[in-house]
Amino acid sequence: MADTFKDIKQLYSLAGRNYIVTGGAQGIGFAVTQAICQMGGNVAVLDIRTEPVEAYKSLSSQFNVKTEYFQTDVTKEEDLKSSFEKAIASLGSLDGLVPVAGIVVDKPFVEQTWEKVNRIQQTNVMGTFFATQLAVKQMLKQGTPGSIVLVASLCATQTTPGHRVSGYHASKGAVLMLAKGLAVELAPQNIRVNSISPGYTESDMTRKLREQYPQVIEVMHKVAPMKRIGNVNDLTPAVVYLLSDAAAYTTSADIQITGGLHAGRIEPNSLD
Ligand SMILES: NC(=O)c1ccc[n+]([C@@H]2O[C@H](COP(=O)([O-])OP(=O)(O)OC[C@H]3O[C@@H](n4cnc5c(N)ncnc54)[C@H](O)[C@@H]3O)[C@@H](O)[C@H]2O)c1
């Protein structure tokens, strides 16, 4: 028998739910924080920066939700653990996690150093891995369903000519596969794990890149099928969807948000 039709707005609502966002002090992570708040969710942000962007301060009053900020280095086990404890104590429980904290280093492969590549792996892979482990431990303790949205990248499956980010490729490939493995392992506990894979998106990360290697960003304007770089508004609806009950039967999905670049290029020779 067909299930009863549910109110679609209700399915997308995050009202009264509690989330942790790492890397939420700026850029994509802040946009995700803002979107969750607007959908009625409470958010604890964990980020290495001393302070989040100015707009963070008004989220709580603007959307009538709880927001907390804990300065945290996701590469440090004790720091991450202690911020999770504080965040959960303040929120009361946990319904979801979006581990956004990530870094990139653009350098030719042979110039990549142990120190920098280690930092990329520690931040993008270990930080994501163990933030997710802490969230899952809490969800299992509560015995409640949960949703985790990992942030992979176009770079998990594709390369861009001129963009020399081998350490980053290695890290985002790991994040993408981590989401798949966890989705299957945790499905019996009703903990869903999905990922998004953004193409180049306006943020501090890509602003620096644009200054260094304008040709890499030009890819988005010239050869990406939709002929523009992405922005945070292209990403937040997908994250909200995956966190919400609208995606109750969706796990192990990766939503590629690249303006079509992951599927093909419209002028493949334009960068030659
Ligand atoms: N911008 C893009 O084009 C793009 C594309 C695909 C994927 N991504 C991914 O999206 C995520 C966010 O990227 P962004 O563009 O907003 O970058 P960003 O540099 O603007 O933001 C990254 C955030 O992570 C935080 N962070 C960095 N290291 C940390 C650490 N050790 N502990 C805690 N917080 C830390 C930073 O302080 C910052 O607030 C990253 O995982 C990135 O790889 C970005």
Side-chain angles (χ1 to χ4, degrees):
M1 207 174 79
D3 202 2
T4 323
F5 180 81
K6 290 188 178 154
D7 182 275
I8 189 81
K9 285 189 193 153
Q10 207 52 44
L11 286 175
Y12 278 95
S13 170
L14 303 179
R17 299 206 178 155
N18 300 319
Y19 298 93
I20 291 177
V21 176
T22 74
Q26 65 174 40
I28 295 169
F30 176 68
V32 165
T33 301
Q34 199 168 19
I36 294 173
C37 291
Q38 187 166 13
M39 296 304 283
N42 308 305
V43 185
V45 171
L46 277 50
D47 196 292
I48 201 166
R49 288 169 62 103
T50 29
E51 282 200 4
V53 290
E54 188 62 25
Y56 164 86
K57 291 184 189 141
S58 58
L59 291 180
S60 174
S61 58
Q62 194 182 353
F63 300 115
N64 195 23
V65 295
K66 189 168 194 171
T67 54
E68 293 280 6
Y69 189 82
F70 301 102
Q71 189 184 11
T72 313
D73 183 344
V74 300
T75 70
K76 297 204 160 69
E77 183 179 357
E78 281 315 313
D79 204 13
L80 187 62
K81 197 161 166 261
S82 127
S83 291
F84 255 77
E85 280 165 8
K86 286 186 231 157
I88 289 162
S90 163
L91 296 171
S93 62
L94 192 65
D95 298 291
L97 168 77
V98 193
V100 186
I103 55 169
V104 66
V105 173
D106 189 302
K107 242 184 205 272
F109 175 60
V110 292
E111 288 172 31
Q112 298 268 355
T113 62
W114 275 86
E115 191 200 351
K116 279 279 162 51
V117 175
N118 197 22
R119 184 74 191 166
I120 296 169
Q121 299 301 323
Q122 289 292 324
T123 310
N124 300 5
V125 181
M126 300 295 271
T128 297
F129 189 105
F130 284 103
T132 303
Q133 190 191 63
L134 287 164
V136 169
K137 280 184 178 176
Q138 177 62 24
M139 289 163 187
L140 294 177
K141 192 166 133 195
Q142 292 168 191
T144 55
S147 174
I148 294 160
V149 182
L150 304 191
V151 180
S153 169
L154 175 68
C155 292
T157 51
Q158 306 278 313
T159 58
T160 305
H163 197 189
R164 294 131 344 144
V165 289
S166 46
Y168 187 74
H169 281 302
S171 75
K172 291 297 179 174
V175 170
L176 183 68
M177 201 53 216
L178 176 64
K180 305 261 173 244
L182 293 183
V184 173
E185 186 176 334
L186 300 169
Q189 283 80 34
N190 210 2
I191 297 172
R192 297 182 294 104
V193 186
N194 294 287
S195 56
I196 60 165
S197 282
Y200 296 99
T201 306
E202 292 280 8
S203 75
D204 263 25
M205 191 181 264
T206 42
R207 258 188 292 283
K208 279 178 218 146
L209 194 67
R210 190 195 285 263
E211 284 154 24
Q212 259 181 307
Y213 304 104
Q215 76 277 15
V216 170
I217 301 299
E218 264 182 48
V219 162
M220 296 309 288
H221 294 286
K222 285 192 175 162
V223 304
M226 294 196 77
K227 288 197 166 190
R228 68 167 174 87
I229 189 168
N231 63 63
V232 293
N233 300 308
D234 297 317
L235 308 181
T236 52
V239 176
V240 166
Y241 163 68
L242 292 170
L243 289 177
S244 76
D245 290 350
Y249 195 50
T250 301
T251 198
S252 195
D254 178 56
I255 304 186
Q256 295 175 300
I257 309 168
T258 70
L261 190 58
H262 67 275
R265 294 159 193 244
I266 49 171
E267 293 165 36
N269 298 322
S270 66
L271 290 178
D272 289 351

